[in-house]
Short mmCIF file of all heavy atoms in Angstrom, two decimals:
data_model
loop_
_atom_site.label_atom_id
_atom_site.label_comp_id
_atom_site.label_asym_id
_atom_site.label_seq_id
_atom_site.Cartn_x
_atom_site.Cartn_y
_atom_site.Cartn_z
N MET A 14 0.85 -1.12 0.06
CA MET A 14 0.04 0.05 -0.01
C MET A 14 0.91 1.23 0.01
O MET A 14 1.88 1.28 0.78
CB MET A 14 -0.88 -0.05 1.18
CG MET A 14 -2.00 0.90 1.20
SD MET A 14 -3.13 0.66 2.59
CE MET A 14 -4.62 0.51 1.70
N LYS A 15 0.62 2.19 -0.80
CA LYS A 15 1.34 3.37 -0.97
C LYS A 15 1.05 4.40 0.11
O LYS A 15 -0.03 4.41 0.70
CB LYS A 15 1.20 4.03 -2.26
CG LYS A 15 1.54 3.13 -3.47
CD LYS A 15 1.91 3.84 -4.70
CE LYS A 15 2.24 2.93 -5.76
NZ LYS A 15 3.65 3.03 -6.18
N PHE A 16 2.02 5.29 0.36
CA PHE A 16 1.89 6.27 1.48
C PHE A 16 0.64 7.16 1.30
O PHE A 16 -0.07 7.47 2.17
CB PHE A 16 3.14 7.01 1.70
CG PHE A 16 3.08 7.95 2.86
CD1 PHE A 16 3.36 7.41 4.11
CD2 PHE A 16 2.84 9.27 2.73
CE1 PHE A 16 3.30 8.20 5.27
CE2 PHE A 16 2.85 10.07 3.88
CZ PHE A 16 3.10 9.51 5.10
N ASN A 17 0.41 7.55 0.00
CA ASN A 17 -0.67 8.48 -0.28
C ASN A 17 -1.99 7.75 -0.01
O ASN A 17 -2.91 8.39 0.56
CB ASN A 17 -0.68 8.89 -1.80
CG ASN A 17 0.46 9.89 -2.03
OD1 ASN A 17 0.94 10.52 -1.12
ND2 ASN A 17 0.86 9.90 -3.26
N GLU A 18 -2.13 6.45 -0.30
CA GLU A 18 -3.36 5.77 0.03
C GLU A 18 -3.52 5.64 1.48
O GLU A 18 -4.73 5.81 2.05
CB GLU A 18 -3.28 4.29 -0.53
CG GLU A 18 -3.18 4.38 -2.08
CD GLU A 18 -2.79 2.93 -2.58
OE1 GLU A 18 -2.65 1.96 -1.82
OE2 GLU A 18 -2.80 2.80 -3.78
N ILE A 19 -2.55 5.35 2.25
CA ILE A 19 -2.55 5.23 3.68
C ILE A 19 -2.93 6.51 4.36
O ILE A 19 -3.73 6.70 5.28
CB ILE A 19 -1.31 4.64 4.27
CG1 ILE A 19 -1.11 3.21 3.76
CG2 ILE A 19 -1.25 4.72 5.79
CD1 ILE A 19 0.25 2.66 4.12
N ASN A 20 -2.36 7.66 3.83
CA ASN A 20 -2.52 8.97 4.33
C ASN A 20 -3.91 9.47 4.27
O ASN A 20 -4.42 10.31 5.02
CB ASN A 20 -1.54 9.95 3.68
CG ASN A 20 -1.20 11.13 4.59
OD1 ASN A 20 -1.42 11.09 5.74
ND2 ASN A 20 -0.74 12.25 3.96
N ASN A 21 -4.76 8.94 3.31
CA ASN A 21 -6.16 9.36 3.15
C ASN A 21 -7.14 8.66 4.02
O ASN A 21 -8.30 8.92 3.99
CB ASN A 21 -6.49 9.22 1.57
CG ASN A 21 -5.69 10.20 0.83
OD1 ASN A 21 -5.41 11.31 1.16
ND2 ASN A 21 -5.47 9.80 -0.42
N LEU A 22 -6.65 7.66 4.74
CA LEU A 22 -7.56 6.77 5.48
C LEU A 22 -7.81 7.42 6.88
O LEU A 22 -6.90 8.17 7.43
CB LEU A 22 -6.91 5.36 5.83
CG LEU A 22 -6.82 4.57 4.47
CD1 LEU A 22 -6.12 3.24 4.81
CD2 LEU A 22 -8.06 4.28 3.77
N ASP A 23 -8.96 7.11 7.51
CA ASP A 23 -9.22 7.66 8.86
C ASP A 23 -8.60 6.64 9.90
O ASP A 23 -8.01 5.62 9.52
CB ASP A 23 -10.66 7.81 9.01
CG ASP A 23 -11.46 6.53 9.03
OD1 ASP A 23 -10.99 5.55 8.42
OD2 ASP A 23 -12.59 6.51 9.54
N ASN A 24 -8.73 7.02 11.07
CA ASN A 24 -8.09 6.24 12.19
C ASN A 24 -8.59 4.78 12.27
O ASN A 24 -7.81 3.83 12.44
CB ASN A 24 -8.28 6.98 13.59
CG ASN A 24 -7.34 6.53 14.58
OD1 ASN A 24 -6.32 5.88 14.33
ND2 ASN A 24 -7.60 6.94 15.87
N ASN A 25 -9.89 4.57 12.19
CA ASN A 25 -10.45 3.19 12.28
C ASN A 25 -9.94 2.33 11.13
O ASN A 25 -9.61 1.20 11.25
CB ASN A 25 -11.94 3.25 12.34
CG ASN A 25 -12.46 3.81 13.62
OD1 ASN A 25 -11.81 3.70 14.63
ND2 ASN A 25 -13.65 4.42 13.57
N ALA A 26 -9.95 2.93 9.85
CA ALA A 26 -9.49 2.19 8.66
C ALA A 26 -7.96 1.84 8.88
O ALA A 26 -7.59 0.79 8.49
CB ALA A 26 -9.72 2.99 7.45
N LEU A 27 -7.20 2.82 9.42
CA LEU A 27 -5.79 2.46 9.62
C LEU A 27 -5.54 1.36 10.56
O LEU A 27 -4.77 0.57 10.39
CB LEU A 27 -5.13 3.81 10.13
CG LEU A 27 -4.91 4.88 9.14
CD1 LEU A 27 -4.35 6.10 9.82
CD2 LEU A 27 -3.83 4.50 8.05
N GLN A 28 -6.35 1.36 11.64
CA GLN A 28 -6.23 0.28 12.66
C GLN A 28 -6.64 -1.06 11.97
O GLN A 28 -5.95 -2.08 12.28
CB GLN A 28 -7.18 0.60 13.88
CG GLN A 28 -6.79 1.79 14.69
CD GLN A 28 -5.48 1.57 15.44
OE1 GLN A 28 -4.95 0.49 15.58
NE2 GLN A 28 -4.85 2.64 15.85
N ASN A 29 -7.63 -1.09 11.14
CA ASN A 29 -8.12 -2.33 10.50
C ASN A 29 -6.93 -2.82 9.55
O ASN A 29 -6.67 -4.03 9.42
CB ASN A 29 -9.40 -2.18 9.72
CG ASN A 29 -10.49 -1.94 10.63
OD1 ASN A 29 -10.51 -2.50 11.83
ND2 ASN A 29 -11.59 -1.33 10.19
N GLU A 30 -6.35 -1.83 8.74
CA GLU A 30 -5.22 -2.21 7.81
C GLU A 30 -4.04 -2.73 8.65
O GLU A 30 -3.40 -3.70 8.25
CB GLU A 30 -4.91 -1.00 6.98
CG GLU A 30 -5.91 -0.70 5.99
CD GLU A 30 -6.00 -1.72 4.85
OE1 GLU A 30 -4.93 -2.23 4.41
OE2 GLU A 30 -7.14 -1.94 4.50
N LEU A 31 -3.74 -2.17 9.76
CA LEU A 31 -2.62 -2.54 10.59
C LEU A 31 -2.77 -3.98 11.07
O LEU A 31 -1.92 -4.74 11.03
CB LEU A 31 -2.47 -1.61 11.78
CG LEU A 31 -1.32 -1.89 12.66
CD1 LEU A 31 0.05 -1.76 11.96
CD2 LEU A 31 -1.33 -0.91 13.91
N LEU A 32 -3.98 -4.33 11.53
CA LEU A 32 -4.37 -5.59 12.00
C LEU A 32 -4.24 -6.59 10.87
O LEU A 32 -3.68 -7.64 11.09
CB LEU A 32 -5.76 -5.63 12.59
CG LEU A 32 -6.23 -6.93 13.24
CD1 LEU A 32 -5.32 -7.33 14.42
CD2 LEU A 32 -7.68 -6.83 13.61
N LYS A 33 -4.74 -6.27 9.69
CA LYS A 33 -4.63 -7.10 8.47
C LYS A 33 -3.19 -7.43 8.20
O LYS A 33 -2.81 -8.55 7.95
CB LYS A 33 -5.31 -6.54 7.33
CG LYS A 33 -5.29 -7.36 6.07
CD LYS A 33 -5.95 -6.62 4.94
CE LYS A 33 -4.91 -5.74 4.34
NZ LYS A 33 -5.34 -5.13 3.01
N TYR A 34 -2.33 -6.43 8.18
CA TYR A 34 -0.92 -6.59 7.79
C TYR A 34 -0.12 -7.31 8.80
O TYR A 34 0.70 -8.09 8.56
CB TYR A 34 -0.18 -5.14 7.48
CG TYR A 34 -0.51 -4.66 6.12
CD1 TYR A 34 -1.23 -3.55 5.91
CD2 TYR A 34 -0.07 -5.39 4.96
CE1 TYR A 34 -1.45 -3.05 4.61
CE2 TYR A 34 -0.36 -4.92 3.72
CZ TYR A 34 -1.06 -3.74 3.46
OH TYR A 34 -1.26 -3.22 2.34
N LYS A 35 -0.42 -7.12 10.12
CA LYS A 35 0.16 -7.86 11.20
C LYS A 35 -0.15 -9.37 11.18
O LYS A 35 0.74 -10.18 11.34
CB LYS A 35 -0.20 -7.34 12.51
CG LYS A 35 0.50 -6.08 12.93
CD LYS A 35 0.16 -5.67 14.37
CE LYS A 35 1.01 -4.54 14.84
NZ LYS A 35 0.85 -4.17 16.22
N LYS A 36 -1.34 -9.69 10.84
CA LYS A 36 -1.79 -11.11 10.63
C LYS A 36 -1.06 -11.76 9.44
O LYS A 36 -0.57 -12.87 9.49
CB LYS A 36 -3.26 -11.15 10.44
CG LYS A 36 -4.08 -11.00 11.75
CD LYS A 36 -5.54 -11.22 11.46
CE LYS A 36 -6.34 -10.91 12.70
NZ LYS A 36 -7.84 -11.06 12.45
N GLU A 37 -0.99 -10.98 8.38
CA GLU A 37 -0.34 -11.44 7.23
C GLU A 37 1.19 -11.63 7.47
O GLU A 37 1.78 -12.73 7.14
CB GLU A 37 -0.44 -10.52 6.01
CG GLU A 37 0.17 -10.96 4.73
CD GLU A 37 -0.05 -10.09 3.54
OE1 GLU A 37 -0.75 -9.07 3.69
OE2 GLU A 37 0.51 -10.47 2.49
N TYR A 38 1.83 -10.69 8.17
CA TYR A 38 3.27 -10.91 8.59
C TYR A 38 3.54 -12.15 9.41
O TYR A 38 4.44 -12.83 9.22
CB TYR A 38 3.77 -9.63 9.20
CG TYR A 38 5.15 -9.57 9.56
CD1 TYR A 38 6.15 -9.71 8.63
CD2 TYR A 38 5.55 -9.49 10.93
CE1 TYR A 38 7.51 -9.74 8.97
CE2 TYR A 38 6.90 -9.51 11.26
CZ TYR A 38 7.91 -9.65 10.23
OH TYR A 38 9.23 -9.69 10.63
N PHE A 39 2.56 -12.35 10.36
CA PHE A 39 2.65 -13.52 11.28
C PHE A 39 2.63 -14.76 10.50
O PHE A 39 3.43 -15.57 10.61
CB PHE A 39 1.50 -13.41 12.23
CG PHE A 39 1.52 -14.55 13.18
CD1 PHE A 39 2.32 -14.49 14.33
CD2 PHE A 39 0.57 -15.67 13.07
CE1 PHE A 39 2.25 -15.61 15.24
CE2 PHE A 39 0.55 -16.58 13.95
CZ PHE A 39 1.38 -16.65 15.04
N ASN A 40 1.71 -14.83 9.52
CA ASN A 40 1.56 -16.06 8.59
C ASN A 40 2.76 -16.24 7.73
O ASN A 40 3.25 -17.30 7.54
CB ASN A 40 0.30 -15.89 7.83
CG ASN A 40 -0.96 -16.08 8.65
OD1 ASN A 40 -0.94 -16.78 9.63
ND2 ASN A 40 -2.01 -15.55 8.24
N LEU A 41 3.25 -15.09 7.23
CA LEU A 41 4.44 -15.20 6.40
C LEU A 41 5.74 -15.70 7.07
O LEU A 41 6.50 -16.53 6.56
CB LEU A 41 4.79 -13.89 5.74
CG LEU A 41 3.83 -13.30 4.67
CD1 LEU A 41 4.13 -11.92 4.31
CD2 LEU A 41 3.85 -14.23 3.39
N ARG A 42 5.87 -15.30 8.40
CA ARG A 42 7.00 -15.75 9.18
C ARG A 42 6.86 -17.31 9.42
O ARG A 42 7.89 -17.98 9.35
CB ARG A 42 6.99 -15.06 10.52
CG ARG A 42 7.51 -13.62 10.43
CD ARG A 42 7.77 -12.99 11.66
NE ARG A 42 7.33 -13.72 12.98
CZ ARG A 42 6.58 -13.20 13.88
NH1 ARG A 42 6.12 -11.94 13.86
NH2 ARG A 42 6.31 -13.92 14.91
N PHE A 43 5.63 -17.72 9.69
CA PHE A 43 5.51 -19.19 9.83
C PHE A 43 5.78 -19.92 8.58
O PHE A 43 6.42 -20.97 8.58
CB PHE A 43 4.13 -19.49 10.32
CG PHE A 43 4.01 -19.60 11.79
CD1 PHE A 43 3.53 -18.49 12.59
CD2 PHE A 43 4.42 -20.63 12.56
CE1 PHE A 43 3.39 -18.47 13.90
CE2 PHE A 43 4.26 -20.72 13.86
CZ PHE A 43 3.79 -19.61 14.61
N GLN A 44 5.33 -19.43 7.41
CA GLN A 44 5.58 -20.09 6.16
C GLN A 44 7.04 -20.11 5.82
O GLN A 44 7.50 -21.18 5.26
CB GLN A 44 4.89 -19.34 4.98
CG GLN A 44 3.34 -19.54 5.06
CD GLN A 44 2.68 -18.75 4.04
OE1 GLN A 44 3.26 -18.06 3.15
NE2 GLN A 44 1.38 -18.64 4.09
N LYS A 45 7.74 -19.06 6.21
CA LYS A 45 9.21 -19.06 5.97
C LYS A 45 9.96 -20.13 6.80
O LYS A 45 10.76 -20.86 6.31
CB LYS A 45 9.80 -17.72 6.32
CG LYS A 45 11.30 -17.54 6.05
CD LYS A 45 11.73 -16.07 6.38
CE LYS A 45 13.22 -16.01 6.18
NZ LYS A 45 13.81 -14.73 6.70
N VAL A 46 9.52 -20.28 8.03
CA VAL A 46 10.17 -21.23 8.95
C VAL A 46 9.89 -22.62 8.41
O VAL A 46 10.70 -23.51 8.47
CB VAL A 46 9.79 -21.09 10.39
CG1 VAL A 46 10.18 -22.26 11.31
CG2 VAL A 46 10.15 -19.74 10.97
N LEU A 47 8.74 -22.85 7.99
CA LEU A 47 8.28 -24.26 7.50
C LEU A 47 8.78 -24.45 6.12
O LEU A 47 8.65 -25.64 5.53
CB LEU A 47 6.80 -24.35 7.55
CG LEU A 47 6.18 -24.28 8.95
CD1 LEU A 47 4.61 -24.32 8.91
CD2 LEU A 47 6.67 -25.47 9.82
N GLY A 48 9.36 -23.54 5.42
CA GLY A 48 9.84 -23.65 4.05
C GLY A 48 8.74 -23.65 3.00
O GLY A 48 8.92 -24.13 1.89
N GLU A 49 7.57 -23.15 3.25
CA GLU A 49 6.46 -23.09 2.31
C GLU A 49 6.37 -21.81 1.65
O GLU A 49 5.44 -21.62 0.74
CB GLU A 49 5.16 -23.34 3.08
CG GLU A 49 5.10 -24.69 3.81
CD GLU A 49 3.84 -24.86 4.61
OE1 GLU A 49 3.09 -23.86 4.82
OE2 GLU A 49 3.60 -25.97 5.11
N LEU A 50 7.22 -20.80 2.00
CA LEU A 50 7.12 -19.47 1.46
C LEU A 50 7.79 -19.41 0.07
O LEU A 50 9.01 -19.67 -0.05
CB LEU A 50 7.76 -18.40 2.39
CG LEU A 50 7.61 -16.99 2.07
CD1 LEU A 50 6.06 -16.53 1.93
CD2 LEU A 50 8.24 -16.06 3.04
N ASN A 51 7.04 -19.02 -0.94
CA ASN A 51 7.59 -18.96 -2.28
C ASN A 51 8.01 -17.53 -2.61
O ASN A 51 9.09 -17.29 -3.23
CB ASN A 51 6.53 -19.37 -3.35
CG ASN A 51 6.13 -20.84 -3.17
OD1 ASN A 51 6.94 -21.60 -2.81
ND2 ASN A 51 4.94 -21.12 -3.49
N ASN A 52 7.36 -16.59 -2.24
CA ASN A 52 7.61 -15.12 -2.54
C ASN A 52 8.18 -14.47 -1.29
O ASN A 52 7.35 -13.91 -0.53
CB ASN A 52 6.36 -14.45 -3.03
CG ASN A 52 6.57 -13.03 -3.51
OD1 ASN A 52 7.70 -12.66 -3.55
ND2 ASN A 52 5.60 -12.33 -3.84
N THR A 53 9.44 -14.52 -1.01
CA THR A 53 10.07 -13.93 0.24
C THR A 53 10.05 -12.56 0.17
O THR A 53 10.16 -11.85 1.23
CB THR A 53 11.50 -14.52 0.31
OG1 THR A 53 12.23 -14.16 -0.85
CG2 THR A 53 11.56 -16.00 0.56
N SER A 54 9.96 -11.86 -0.97
CA SER A 54 9.91 -10.35 -1.08
C SER A 54 8.67 -9.85 -0.40
O SER A 54 8.57 -8.56 -0.13
CB SER A 54 10.09 -9.86 -2.49
OG SER A 54 8.97 -10.30 -3.27
N ARG A 55 7.62 -10.61 -0.29
CA ARG A 55 6.38 -10.18 0.31
C ARG A 55 6.55 -9.76 1.74
O ARG A 55 5.87 -8.84 2.21
CB ARG A 55 5.29 -11.27 0.20
CG ARG A 55 3.92 -10.91 0.66
CD ARG A 55 3.28 -9.88 -0.23
NE ARG A 55 2.04 -9.48 0.43
CZ ARG A 55 1.41 -8.29 0.30
NH1 ARG A 55 1.95 -7.38 -0.54
NH2 ARG A 55 0.39 -8.02 0.89
N ILE A 56 7.45 -10.33 2.49
CA ILE A 56 7.78 -10.00 3.84
C ILE A 56 8.26 -8.56 3.95
O ILE A 56 7.70 -7.81 4.78
CB ILE A 56 8.80 -10.97 4.44
CG1 ILE A 56 8.26 -12.38 4.51
CG2 ILE A 56 9.30 -10.54 5.79
CD1 ILE A 56 9.28 -13.38 5.04
N LYS A 57 9.09 -8.14 3.03
CA LYS A 57 9.66 -6.86 3.04
C LYS A 57 8.53 -5.83 2.68
O LYS A 57 8.40 -4.78 3.42
CB LYS A 57 10.70 -6.71 1.98
CG LYS A 57 11.44 -5.36 1.92
CD LYS A 57 12.53 -5.40 0.83
CE LYS A 57 13.29 -4.11 0.76
NZ LYS A 57 14.27 -4.16 -0.26
N VAL A 58 7.68 -6.20 1.81
CA VAL A 58 6.56 -5.30 1.43
C VAL A 58 5.56 -5.06 2.60
O VAL A 58 5.14 -3.97 2.92
CB VAL A 58 5.76 -5.78 0.16
CG1 VAL A 58 4.60 -5.03 -0.04
CG2 VAL A 58 6.70 -5.78 -1.07
N VAL A 59 5.29 -6.13 3.28
CA VAL A 59 4.36 -6.07 4.44
C VAL A 59 4.98 -5.28 5.54
O VAL A 59 4.31 -4.40 6.14
CB VAL A 59 3.96 -7.52 4.88
CG1 VAL A 59 3.20 -7.47 6.13
CG2 VAL A 59 3.12 -8.20 3.84
N LYS A 60 6.23 -5.48 5.89
CA LYS A 60 6.88 -4.76 6.90
C LYS A 60 6.92 -3.23 6.65
O LYS A 60 6.70 -2.41 7.52
CB LYS A 60 8.33 -5.25 7.17
CG LYS A 60 8.34 -6.56 7.87
CD LYS A 60 9.72 -7.16 7.88
CE LYS A 60 10.61 -6.32 8.94
NZ LYS A 60 11.98 -6.97 9.07
N LYS A 61 7.18 -2.91 5.43
CA LYS A 61 7.07 -1.44 5.02
C LYS A 61 5.75 -0.90 5.12
O LYS A 61 5.58 0.24 5.55
CB LYS A 61 7.70 -1.35 3.62
CG LYS A 61 9.17 -1.40 3.54
CD LYS A 61 9.74 -1.09 2.16
CE LYS A 61 11.19 -1.09 2.21
NZ LYS A 61 11.81 -0.49 0.96
N SER A 62 4.69 -1.68 4.78
CA SER A 62 3.32 -1.13 4.87
C SER A 62 3.00 -0.94 6.40
O SER A 62 2.31 0.04 6.66
CB SER A 62 2.38 -2.18 4.31
OG SER A 62 2.53 -2.25 2.95
N ILE A 63 3.45 -1.87 7.27
CA ILE A 63 3.22 -1.67 8.67
C ILE A 63 3.88 -0.41 9.19
O ILE A 63 3.27 0.40 9.95
CB ILE A 63 3.62 -2.94 9.46
CG1 ILE A 63 2.75 -4.17 9.12
CG2 ILE A 63 3.67 -2.69 10.94
CD1 ILE A 63 3.26 -5.41 9.65
N ALA A 64 5.05 -0.20 8.75
CA ALA A 64 5.83 1.07 9.18
C ALA A 64 5.15 2.26 8.71
O ALA A 64 5.06 3.30 9.40
CB ALA A 64 7.26 0.90 8.75
N ARG A 65 4.67 2.27 7.45
CA ARG A 65 3.96 3.44 6.93
C ARG A 65 2.67 3.76 7.76
O ARG A 65 2.39 4.87 8.00
CB ARG A 65 3.60 3.26 5.47
CG ARG A 65 4.75 3.29 4.54
CD ARG A 65 4.30 3.08 3.06
NE ARG A 65 5.47 3.08 2.19
CZ ARG A 65 5.80 2.14 1.38
NH1 ARG A 65 5.09 0.99 1.40
NH2 ARG A 65 6.92 2.10 0.73
N ILE A 66 1.97 2.72 8.09
CA ILE A 66 0.74 2.94 8.87
C ILE A 66 1.10 3.42 10.26
O ILE A 66 0.41 4.45 10.72
CB ILE A 66 -0.03 1.53 9.00
CG1 ILE A 66 -0.58 1.18 7.64
CG2 ILE A 66 -1.15 1.73 10.01
CD1 ILE A 66 -1.26 -0.19 7.63
N PHE A 67 2.13 2.91 10.93
CA PHE A 67 2.52 3.55 12.23
C PHE A 67 2.96 4.98 12.01
O PHE A 67 2.72 5.79 12.88
CB PHE A 67 3.70 2.72 12.76
CG PHE A 67 3.22 1.55 13.54
CD1 PHE A 67 3.72 0.23 13.40
CD2 PHE A 67 2.27 1.65 14.60
CE1 PHE A 67 3.27 -0.82 14.02
CE2 PHE A 67 1.93 0.54 15.36
CZ PHE A 67 2.29 -0.70 15.09
N THR A 68 3.64 5.35 10.98
CA THR A 68 4.01 6.69 10.71
C THR A 68 2.83 7.71 10.59
O THR A 68 2.74 8.66 11.26
CB THR A 68 4.83 6.83 9.37
OG1 THR A 68 5.94 6.02 9.52
CG2 THR A 68 5.20 8.26 9.13
N VAL A 69 1.73 7.20 9.99
CA VAL A 69 0.56 8.03 9.71
C VAL A 69 -0.21 8.05 11.14
O VAL A 69 -0.69 9.23 11.52
CB VAL A 69 -0.38 7.56 8.64
CG1 VAL A 69 -1.70 8.20 8.62
CG2 VAL A 69 0.41 7.63 7.30
N LEU A 70 -0.22 6.99 11.86
CA LEU A 70 -0.93 7.01 13.16
C LEU A 70 -0.22 8.00 14.10
O LEU A 70 -0.98 8.69 14.89
CB LEU A 70 -0.98 5.60 13.70
CG LEU A 70 -2.03 4.69 13.05
CD1 LEU A 70 -1.84 3.22 13.61
CD2 LEU A 70 -3.33 5.13 13.32
N ASN A 71 1.09 7.97 14.07
CA ASN A 71 1.89 8.79 14.99
C ASN A 71 1.68 10.29 14.54
O ASN A 71 1.66 11.28 15.36
CB ASN A 71 3.33 8.48 15.01
CG ASN A 71 3.67 7.26 15.82
OD1 ASN A 71 2.90 7.00 16.75
ND2 ASN A 71 4.70 6.56 15.45
N LYS A 72 1.56 10.53 13.27
CA LYS A 72 1.31 11.84 12.73
C LYS A 72 -0.05 12.36 13.25
O LYS A 72 -0.16 13.50 13.69
CB LYS A 72 1.34 11.91 11.27
CG LYS A 72 1.33 13.30 10.65
CD LYS A 72 1.63 13.17 9.10
CE LYS A 72 0.37 13.39 8.38
NZ LYS A 72 0.52 13.41 6.91
N ILE A 73 -0.98 11.51 13.23
CA ILE A 73 -2.41 11.90 13.62
C ILE A 73 -2.37 12.19 15.11
O ILE A 73 -2.88 13.04 15.60
CB ILE A 73 -3.41 10.78 13.27
CG1 ILE A 73 -3.63 10.67 11.76
CG2 ILE A 73 -4.69 10.97 13.95
CD1 ILE A 73 -4.36 9.56 11.32
N LYS A 74 -1.64 11.35 15.92
CA LYS A 74 -1.56 11.42 17.40
C LYS A 74 -0.92 12.81 17.69
O LYS A 74 -1.34 13.50 18.62
CB LYS A 74 -0.76 10.31 17.93
CG LYS A 74 -0.82 10.29 19.44
CD LYS A 74 -0.14 9.03 20.04
CE LYS A 74 1.27 9.35 20.06
NZ LYS A 74 2.06 8.27 20.71
N ASP A 75 0.16 13.06 17.00
CA ASP A 75 0.87 14.33 17.35
C ASP A 75 -0.02 15.60 16.94
O ASP A 75 0.09 16.61 17.56
CB ASP A 75 2.22 14.41 16.59
CG ASP A 75 3.16 13.45 17.11
OD1 ASP A 75 3.01 13.01 18.27
OD2 ASP A 75 4.21 13.14 16.43
N LYS A 76 -0.79 15.44 15.91
CA LYS A 76 -1.57 16.55 15.53
C LYS A 76 -2.73 16.80 16.49
O LYS A 76 -3.07 18.01 16.80
CB LYS A 76 -2.29 16.30 14.09
CG LYS A 76 -2.99 17.44 13.51
CD LYS A 76 -3.82 17.14 12.32
CE LYS A 76 -3.15 16.34 11.24
NZ LYS A 76 -4.10 16.17 10.05
N ASN A 77 -3.24 15.84 17.07
CA ASN A 77 -4.34 15.88 18.13
C ASN A 77 -3.79 16.39 19.50
O ASN A 77 -4.64 16.82 20.23
CB ASN A 77 -5.12 14.57 18.25
CG ASN A 77 -5.85 14.24 17.00
OD1 ASN A 77 -6.19 15.15 16.23
ND2 ASN A 77 -6.09 13.01 16.80
N SER A 78 -2.50 16.24 19.71
CA SER A 78 -1.98 16.68 20.98
C SER A 78 -1.80 18.11 21.14
O SER A 78 -1.62 18.89 20.30
CB SER A 78 -0.65 15.94 21.25
OG SER A 78 -0.87 14.55 21.29
#
């Protein structure tokens, strides 16, 4: 997910996306350990998306303070 797309979401949508990406990252880690993961680059993409969401959430939190 691109930063512009994430930046346009509201707080609840961001929390839902964060939960979705965390679950996916959890599953990808298990697949990697078990040797079932074919697309290892997906881990990097998911981690970056999680970081982008945290960045926007922190920006929102700072704006409200």
Side-chain angles (χ1 to χ4, degrees):
M14 192 173 238
K15 299 202 181 250
F16 189 77
N17 290 336
E18 296 170 359
I19 294 172
N20 205 18
N21 293 331
L22 297 175
D23 65 339
N24 198 12
N25 290 333
L27 286 170
Q28 294 293 341
N29 290 336
E30 287 293 319
L31 182 62
L32 183 63
K33 180 182 87 169
Y34 279 118
K35 281 187 172 184
K36 285 181 182 178
E37 183 177 357
Y38 181 62
F39 180 79
N40 289 329
L41 288 172
R42 285 188 355 230
F43 269 99
Q44 289 175 9
K45 183 180 177 188
V46 169
L47 296 174
E49 299 174 354
L50 186 61
N51 296 326
N52 186 6
T53 56
S54 65
R55 183 69 184 152
I56 293 173
K57 184 177 179 181
V58 171
V59 171
K60 285 175 72 174
K61 284 187 175 189
S62 294
I63 290 171
R65 286 182 183 120
I66 291 171
F67 274 127
T68 300
V69 173
L70 285 171
N71 284 331
K72 187 172 106 176
I73 290 171
K74 187 176 84 172
D75 289 343
K76 190 191 307 183
N77 291 337
S78 296

